[in-house]
Amino acid sequence: MSSLLETRELSKRFVKHLDFAAKLARKLGANVQEEVVQAVDQVNLDIRQGEVVGLVGESGCGKSTFGRMVTGILPPSAGTIHYNGKDISNAASPEGHAAALKIQMIFQDPFASLNPRMRVRDIIGEAPRIHGLLEGQSQDEYVANMLEKVGLDASYSGRYPHQFSGGQRQRLGVARALAVQPEFLVCDEAVAALDVSIQAQVLNLFMDLREQLNLTYLFISHDLSVVEHISNRVLIMYLGRVVESAPTEDMFHSPNHPYTQALLNEVPRLDLRKRQYTPVAGEIPSPLNPPTGCHFHPRCPHATSKCHTEIPQLKGIAPDRQSACFLNETP
Amino acid sequence: MPQPTLDVRNLQTHFFTRDGVAKAVEDVSFSLGSGEVLGLVGESGSGKTVTGFSILGLVDPPGEVVGGEILFKGRNLLKLSEEEMRNVRGNHLAMVFQDPMMTLNPVLRIDTQMIEAIQAHQKVGTDVARERARDALGKVGIASPDERLRAYPHQFSGGMRQRVAIAIALLNQPELIIADEPTTALDVTIQGQILHEVQRLCRETGTALIWITHDLAVVAGLAERICVMYAGRIVETGSVDEVLDRPLHPYSKGLIESVPSHNQRGRRLNQIPGMTPSLLSLPEGCAFRTRCPIADVECRRLPSLHEAETERRIFCHHPQRETA
Ligand SMILES: Nc1ncnc2c1ncn2[C@@H]1O[C@H](COP(=O)(O)OP(=O)(O)OP(=O)(O)O)[C@@H](O)[C@H]1O
Ligand SMILES: Nc1ncnc2c1ncn2[C@@H]1O[C@H](COP(=O)(O)OP(=O)(O)OP(=O)(O)O)[C@@H](O)[C@H]1O
Ligand SMILES: [Mg+2]
Ligand SMILES: [Mg+2]
């Protein structure tokens, strides 16, 4: 079956250009350099219609950047994005435009992503009205419906974002994304700010929508128990690269990559009380100056000299499973 | 018993909105000793953040602390002048905000902000302050701290901003830290690193910690005691073991049953029926009764927070009744 979303070698580099003083200093012989972050490094991803793909990884590894490129908010530095077979890598192209409504993002940061001067009624209702999605309902009815879907009282529609708690604002973000009737949702830490009972409500809603509307999800989260619950497949990212991809059950049952193993070891559990937390073993690498070879080698208990110099490629290790680790190579 | 670091008594914080009075925090009491960790959990919108803001004296109009006492090492913070409060805030209390951008100024470089935070409370030179800022970033797992110090907040990922905000709170080794959803955006290995630093601070310097979170598993591993809030009130408090293993309040029970790991993969999760009532139109009596599986006529009357067992207080008429 062909994919709904397909990225090929999708990459994003952020370059911090030198200001005048720094340029001058460099002319005078100082060792100043442009700071470059390879936030996303040649990611290949296929998502089928109706699938829920979990994207997990270290803070700063490029998950949001990847999601923002897929949604057309951020232009890629290299690589392509296809949606339904059409190239949407350029958000300004007609294909990119057409995809803009269909692919919606629920943002990690509900505080920054809601216009503080707009009332809820307009935050949620304006886009559907402009795009003619109200289908005979009044904007207020439509908004009330959406609020109810995410478990908020319809009477809130006259309020401004600052009058809500963190979790309530997050649900406004969910309602806003759903209001334009998308096909594909990029959920960036969409339930991180919610208490577990409302989280359950929103996750149930996501699962219902998937059945009713055949929605497809890229589900970015650091919460492994949530990812395990809702995803069909999980991708693990580390410093801009995908290091492992597997069906959810396999990933949690037998993680292959040492980083995945480290993650699963640290998962907090309700039955583990009074833990002695441990610092990260080895050195935490910087995206500004990533380690050579395998990015994970400074933290890896199994690293060999090869891992310091060569980049392991993402390779099939079992049906449907891929991992980027030299340990899988038979000597 | 030694004097607690923090003793909150009957705190009430209300918002006087155009549509009515929202009692965001109502009759909240708890106390916390040196080195102790209290987990504060509860429904979204139940008043956790507002409780933290009240303690720090950061509630802005239309909100107001209208009742109660906040005793910090015996001193009632509500009686302090703005000037005195600012002093306490910088030197003795710190808050890690749910939104890291409340700590971080978007137009200033990270180093400017951290050095300022250090020098505001300690007489040290800029070099020493920079050195400390560097160390603090290292402790929360930010690599290349020298380069990162020169960056602006927008150049950081969400989780990195969160870590910078945590680093700033740890800078002056405060006696009390209120951390509001501080690790929601972090992967579990980095979260472990931060919890390690926080535990060490509590152990070594006796810092008391209020950890506001919805992540019950983190509370399980970190805190000694837990307070569960619903609609502005504490509805249950007790030791972590007692409350998580044997919740007595029907809301706490519902909450714990919604945790994904208590549910079968891919199945619908248990959820508490109904939705959070608006604070402006709470049901009379027990605010949870309209969603509660065991509510009866008695629940139309306001329950009291009473000691159901030793060290365990419950705000419910029927704490022992089975919900199943
Ligand atoms: N400026 C305001 N005006 C009116 N109501 C407010 C204001 N600020 C907060 N509230 C209300 O106070 C209540 C408590 O909010 P608070 O931010 O403390 O919730 P919380 O428990 O921290 O929730 P979350 O887990 O979602 O962050 C909420 O119902 C909120 O709507
Ligand atoms: N506008 C920007 N300018 C410069 N660098 C940026 C910018 N946005 C992101 N970055 C950098 O790109 C990298 C990836 O950031 P991104 O926000 O995608 O991470 P993330 O995986 O979503 O992290 P988190 O889990 O903490 O949200 C980080 O090193 C970050 O500092
Ligand atoms: Mg992110
Ligand atoms: Mg809050």
Side-chain angles (χ1 to χ4, degrees):
Chain A
M1 207 178 115
S2 71
S3 328
L4 180 64
L5 182 90
E6 191 181 287
T7 73
R8 286 294 170 265
E9 309 202 344
L10 190 61
S11 305
K12 182 74 195 179
R13 277 158 62 92
F14 290 106
V15 182
K16 186 179 156 224
H17 294 290
L18 297 178
D19 55 20
F20 177 74
K23 279 188 190 148
L24 190 69
R26 184 157 71 172
K27 273 217 174 102
L28 299 173
N31 180 24
V32 281
Q33 272 161 18
E34 288 190 330
E35 280 165 10
V36 175
V37 180
Q38 186 73 45
V40 175
D41 194 2
Q42 306 190 26
V43 171
N44 296 321
L45 171 65
D46 290 283
I47 302 185
R48 290 184 290 267
Q49 167 104 48
E51 217 182 359
V52 181
V53 175
L55 180 57
V56 175
E58 193 170 40
S59 155
C61 73
K63 305 178 296 295
S64 298
T65 304
F66 182 77
R68 304 226 296 267
M69 287 193 286
V70 167
T71 327
I73 300 168
L74 206 60
S77 313
T80 57
I81 311 167
H82 282 80
Y83 185 74
N84 252 333
K86 297 203 179 73
D87 188 347
I88 59 161
S89 317
N90 178 0
S93 68
E95 292 79 16
H97 251 301
L101 261 201
K102 302 205 175 92
I103 309 178
Q104 286 292 316
M105 182 149 175
I106 296 167
F107 293 92
Q108 180 168 9
D109 196 349
F111 299 88
S113 63
L114 300 174
N115 184 338
R117 276 178 289 278
M118 269 164 89
R119 290 179 194 275
V120 167
R121 170 180 307 125
D122 297 313
I123 291 176
I124 297 175
E126 195 174 81
R129 178 170 50 77
I130 292 173
H131 296 284
L133 301 171
L134 298 181
E135 288 164 354
Q137 298 174 67
S138 74
Q139 182 169 333
D140 279 353
E141 282 167 353
Y142 193 83
V143 170
N145 253 330
M146 285 298 152
L147 287 175
E148 203 168 297
K149 270 211 164 93
V150 297
L152 286 175
D153 207 289
S155 69
Y156 284 147
S157 68
R159 285 208 194 180
Y160 292 98
H162 76 270
Q163 294 172 306
F164 291 89
S165 78
Q168 290 167 335
R169 263 179 265 196
Q170 186 58 275
R171 280 181 279 166
L172 293 179
V174 176
R176 179 183 59 177
L178 293 180
V180 293
Q181 304 175 9
E183 301 169 351
F184 188 106
L185 272 183
V186 177
C187 303
D188 192 1
E189 300 286 2
V191 294
L194 306 179
D195 75 67
V196 285
S197 88
I198 290 167
Q199 173 177 296
Q201 201 177 318
V202 173
L203 291 176
N204 286 342
L205 172 68
F206 285 159
M207 289 191 282
D208 291 346
L209 291 172
R210 181 187 170 205
E211 283 194 359
Q212 291 160 13
L213 308 171
N214 207 7
L215 284 193
T216 308
Y217 295 87
L218 176 63
F219 198 89
I220 302 173
S221 175
H222 78 282
D223 189 331
L224 291 156
S225 61
V226 169
V227 168
E228 181 176 14
H229 189 83
I230 136 158
S231 314
N232 309 111
R233 195 151 57 89
V234 183
L235 298 184
I236 309 283
M237 249 176 117
Y238 193 77
L239 276 186
R241 297 179 189 154
V242 173
V243 296
E244 183 164 1
S245 159
T248 307
E249 257 156 73
D250 298 343
M251 183 80 81
F252 283 86
H253 182 250
S254 55
N256 178 273
H257 196 280
Y259 174 59
T260 316
Q261 294 171 357
L263 276 180
L264 294 184
N265 261 332
E266 277 301 319
V267 175
R269 293 203 343 228
L270 267 183
D271 55 347
L272 292 181
R273 307 287 156 81
K274 287 277 166 52
R275 275 174 71 176
Q276 221 40 64
Y277 289 95
T278 47
V280 168
E283 197 190 328
I284 298 175
S286 164
L288 289 173
N289 184 16
T292 53
C294 170
H295 285 339
F296 190 62
H297 84 253
R299 286 177 58 184
C300 184
H302 315 291
T304 64
S305 57
K306 188 174 183 185
C307 309
H308 290 240
T309 50
E310 285 177 46
I311 301 175
Q313 297 302 315
L314 196 59
K315 281 189 185 151
I317 53 164
D320 267 350
R321 293 197 62 169
Q322 296 171 302
S323 175
C325 179
F326 291 126
L327 291 174
N328 295 313
E329 288 176 6
T330 37
Chain B
M1 204 178 119
Q3 188 180 53
T5 303
L6 180 73
D7 193 359
V8 175
R9 296 186 185 163
N10 309 105
L11 180 68
Q12 289 179 295
T13 305
H14 296 177
F15 285 89
F16 298 89
T17 70
R18 224 182 32 196
D19 307 321
V21 180
K23 298 180 176 171
V25 175
E26 187 66 358
D27 205 13
V28 161
S29 304
F30 59 86
S31 76
L32 187 67
S34 155
E36 210 185 334
V37 183
L38 174 76
L40 186 55
V41 305
E43 176 110 326
S44 163
S46 63
K48 304 181 296 292
T49 298
V50 173
T51 299
F53 275 34
S54 305
I55 294 168
L56 269 94
L58 295 176
V59 177
D60 287 326
E64 195 188 328
V65 178
V66 292
E69 291 181 316
I70 299 170
L71 302 173
F72 179 66
K73 298 197 296 180
R75 268 213 297 180
N76 187 356
L77 297 183
L78 295 176
K79 293 272 185 292
L80 299 188
S81 69
E82 185 53 39
E83 178 71 36
E84 289 169 316
M85 193 59 210
R86 203 169 311 133
N87 187 32
V88 172
R89 210 153 45 214
N91 290 321
H92 307 286
L93 304 183
M95 181 149 182
V96 181
F97 296 101
Q98 192 166 5
D99 176 6
M101 290 315 283
M102 279 198 59
T103 306
L104 302 174
N105 183 331
V107 299
L108 293 181
R109 282 180 8 182
I110 299 296
D111 52 0
T112 320
Q113 307 194 36
M114 293 186 78
I115 290 169
E116 209 169 76
I118 295 170
Q119 290 183 331
H121 302 288
Q122 295 171 54
K123 289 200 172 48
V124 294
T126 305
D127 285 352
V128 176
R130 173 177 294 277
E131 196 56 35
R132 275 199 209 155
R134 247 188 118 253
D135 282 354
L137 288 187
K139 279 190 186 157
V140 294
I142 291 192
S144 310
D146 285 312
E147 282 94 341
R148 290 304 192 181
L149 275 172
R150 280 187 269 114
Y152 290 90
H154 78 266
Q155 292 167 321
F156 283 61
S157 75
M160 284 156 69
R161 270 182 233 157
Q162 230 175 20
R163 283 183 277 163
V164 173
I166 294 169
I168 290 177
L170 303 181
L171 276 179
N172 295 317
Q173 306 200 334
E175 283 144 278
L176 171 68
I177 297 181
I178 302 174
D180 196 357
E181 303 279 8
T183 57
T184 42
L186 304 180
D187 94 49
V188 288
T189 65
I190 303 290
Q191 173 171 282
Q193 161 100 24
I194 285 177
L195 295 176
H196 167 78
E197 288 301 332
V198 164
Q199 275 182 330
R200 192 164 75 178
L201 189 72
C202 294
R203 199 171 51 235
E204 290 175 3
T205 65
T207 297
L209 180 67
I210 301 177
W211 195 266
I212 301 177
T213 184
H214 75 276
D215 193 335
L216 296 174
V218 168
V219 171
L222 185 70
E224 284 102 36
R225 278 185 311 128
I226 187 169
C227 287
V228 182
M229 287 187 76
Y230 186 81
R233 294 178 184 268
I234 292 180
V235 294
E236 173 155 12
T237 147
S239 76
V240 161
D241 288 337
E242 287 284 328
V243 176
L244 292 183
D245 294 338
R246 216 165 43 83
L248 294 180
H249 194 285
Y251 172 70
S252 325
K253 280 188 194 171
L255 190 69
I256 292 165
E257 281 163 11
S258 345
V259 173
S261 57
H262 282 176
N263 287 264
Q264 213 183 338
R265 198 174 95 71
R267 290 287 180 80
R268 287 182 69 80
L269 294 154
N270 285 311
Q271 64 181 64
I272 299 173
M275 60 186 167
T276 320
S278 155
L279 285 179
L280 296 176
S281 52
L282 288 182
E284 206 182 314
C286 170
F288 189 61
R289 75 179 159 83
T290 48
R291 304 173 67 186
C292 180
I294 57 166
D296 59 17
V297 284
E298 219 181 325
C299 305
R300 291 169 193 269
R301 210 164 39 76
L302 198 67
S304 62
L305 191 66
H306 60 277
E307 194 128 283
E309 294 168 14
T310 337
E311 294 287 296
R312 254 190 120 175
R313 285 178 297 151
I314 313 291
F315 189 74
C316 176
H317 289 297
H318 311 297
Q320 311 292 356
R321 203 181 274 180
E322 277 301 310
T323 50

